[in-house]
Amino acid sequence: MFDFDGVAPPLASLRARTTARAHHIPSLRYRLGRNDRKAYAAGGFEPGAHVLQLLVPRRGQFDVARRQMLTRPLPEGRPPWDLWLIRCAEESFTVCFRSDHALRDGIAAASILRLLIEDEPVDWSPRSPPSARVGFRGVAAVLGQSARAMRPLTPAPAFAGAESGTPQLFHRDLPIALLRVAARAHGATVNDVYLAALSEAVHRRHQEGTHQGHPPMPVTVPLSVRGREQATLVGNALVGVRLTLPCKDSGGVEGAVDAVTAQTRRLRAIDYRGSARLVLDALPRRAGARLALRVAGAGPVGLLASNVDCGPALTLFGLPATQAQLFSAPADGLRCYTALTGYDSHARLTVVHDGSLPGMPRLGEHWVAAVRELADAPRPRVISGVERATGM
């Protein structure tokens, strides 16, 4: 989703632009087979039928509209994607691209939405080219993560209990510069700060409700292995890695960032992402897909934490987007999904959770407080070249 201030463009104008550009993105023609779940190119393709509109009377109802986007079924009988113009009477609007996650991941979704709507689409890709540092240690780590994913886990206390099956969502915004300040101050990356603050937020919310600390908690972090030239290709190019958030055992948020950074530094040293890309490319396509889904799946863990860069400033019919966010519906027993979305100078934490979990908006408040604490309490650290204040 991209949010805008100002009068929304006519639906016909957005539909005409989308229709003209969709024909140049072949992956938008694909749909899934009913029985084998393979991707097939559709014979007929009418992208204009995929562009729809939703009206909301007040800005305060945008979150209700976002929940509708989360739960509304995708199109049937044609490729499973659509693009919504969510128009508010108070002169603001959102453009939302929805897709079946089996056909594209968040990187592809962000790239495609920009190509469909941006006034002057830029040659932008958040992914770096494949690394030449892949070696035995990295491949062994990928296979080890696969083995860990096969072992059952007890749900974390903060996300345990009977499921309602009704998703809820909320978001919290921060300047991305604040996360970068915190990252530089602690010899970490923005992703490390995001996860460390999440660790502390889980601990504080759990302590408020139970007066007890929360034990260390495994979390699945999905990683895209798309190359720079593969942004719009059909397929979900995700692998996952399981990290442990220390929660109560961290010694506060500064201890949490140390614990998280130690784990991610090891993964960068062996180029885990490049190794995962190599393993998936070497496997038969179907076996690679099963492995990727198993390792990236978060159901047994209970929490999935993604981090997606949505690119530089975007304009639509002359209006600049003020914010971007990306999120997914929980599946396979997942109780909570968090996404940190970077866009231009903005960062947004979006939390999608099962409706049975109480007091979840407090998780967002604690996360913001923990990020600010890291930014306000810098410690002198020697930052090596591998510890750039960017993604993991």
Side-chain angles (χ1 to χ4, degrees), residues 3-365:
D3 296 338
F4 299 83
D5 286 331
V7 179
L11 178 63
S13 299
L14 183 62
R15 180 174 284 145
R17 175 175 289 187
T18 301
T19 298
R21 296 181 179 182
H23 286 290
H24 301 288
I25 306 175
S27 65
L28 290 177
R29 296 176 175 268
Y30 279 80
R31 56 185 297 181
L32 295 170
R34 291 184 180 275
N35 298 320
D36 57 12
R37 296 287 289 175
K38 289 183 180 179
Y40 298 92
F45 183 48
E46 299 180 8
H50 295 252
V51 183
L52 305 162
Q53 182 172 261
L54 178 66
L55 302 177
V56 297
R58 297 185 302 276
R59 290 187 184 214
Q61 292 186 310
F62 266 124
D63 276 346
V64 175
R66 289 183 173 98
R67 284 197 294 273
Q68 285 184 262
M69 295 296 101
L70 192 67
T71 56
R72 185 188 294 263
L74 284 163
E76 294 185 2
R78 60 177 186 262
W81 66 269
D82 53 28
L83 190 146
W84 287 82
L85 176 61
I86 306 174
R87 183 194 301 268
C88 178
E90 296 178 347
E91 295 193 355
S92 58
F93 64 98
T94 289
V95 179
C96 172
F97 176 79
R98 304 191 312 152
S99 170
D100 190 317
H101 210 341
L103 288 176
R104 54 191 57 89
D105 52 39
I107 294 295
S111 300
I112 287 174
L113 178 53
R114 294 188 69 110
L115 288 173
L116 288 176
I117 70 171
E118 194 166 7
D119 287 344
E120 296 182 9
V122 297
D123 184 17
W124 164 80
S125 172
R127 291 274 65 86
S128 58
S131 169
R133 294 187 293 118
V134 174
F136 174 77
R137 289 176 61 209
V139 172
V142 173
L143 297 178
Q145 286 282 339
S146 305
R148 288 179 66 194
M150 302 301 172
R151 298 199 296 265
L153 291 169
T154 302
F159 305 107
E163 296 180 46
S164 72
T166 303
Q168 302 290 330
L169 67 91
F170 63 88
H171 65 265
R172 296 289 183 269
D173 294 336
L174 281 175
I176 202 166
L178 193 68
L179 285 100
R180 289 173 177 158
V181 166
R184 287 194 296 268
H186 295 272
T189 69
V190 164
N191 194 61
D192 295 334
V193 170
Y194 159 47
L195 294 174
L198 189 60
S199 171
E200 185 67 8
V202 169
H203 164 61
R204 293 179 185 181
R205 171 183 165 269
H206 186 70
Q207 190 173 51
E208 282 181 344
T210 66
H211 304 290
Q212 296 179 352
H214 194 283
M217 180 179 70
V219 58
T220 295
V221 180
L223 305 173
S224 175
V225 295
R226 288 184 182 273
R228 185 175 292 277
E229 305 302 324
Q230 301 173 322
T232 64
L233 295 185
V234 70
N236 190 319
L238 285 178
V239 296
V241 61
R242 285 188 182 173
L243 303 177
T244 298
L245 301 187
C247 299
K248 75 176 178 68
D249 290 342
S250 65
V253 67
E254 293 190 46
V257 80
D258 285 340
V260 170
T261 300
Q263 297 175 69
T264 59
R265 188 184 292 123
R266 287 193 293 268
L267 294 170
R268 288 193 298 274
I270 61 175
D271 191 11
Y272 180 88
R273 191 192 302 268
S275 301
R277 180 184 296 158
L278 179 67
V279 169
L280 292 183
D281 287 346
L283 290 172
R285 182 176 295 273
R286 183 167 292 186
R290 283 199 299 267
L291 175 64
L293 287 172
R294 183 65 186 183
V295 178
V301 177
L303 176 65
L304 186 148
S306 68
N307 182 355
V308 180
D309 177 8
C310 287
L314 172 149
T315 59
L316 172 64
F317 298 113
L319 288 175
T322 58
Q323 187 57 275
Q325 70 183 121
L326 183 145
F327 53 87
S328 176
D332 300 327
L334 182 64
R335 307 299 307 282
C336 185
Y337 167 86
T338 67
L340 179 67
T341 308
Y343 160 69
D344 193 29
S345 60
H346 311 283
R348 171 169 285 182
L349 174 74
T350 303
V351 179
V352 183
H353 63 92
D354 189 82
S356 65
L357 298 175
M360 285 298 287
R362 289 289 291 160
L363 183 77
E365 295 166 17

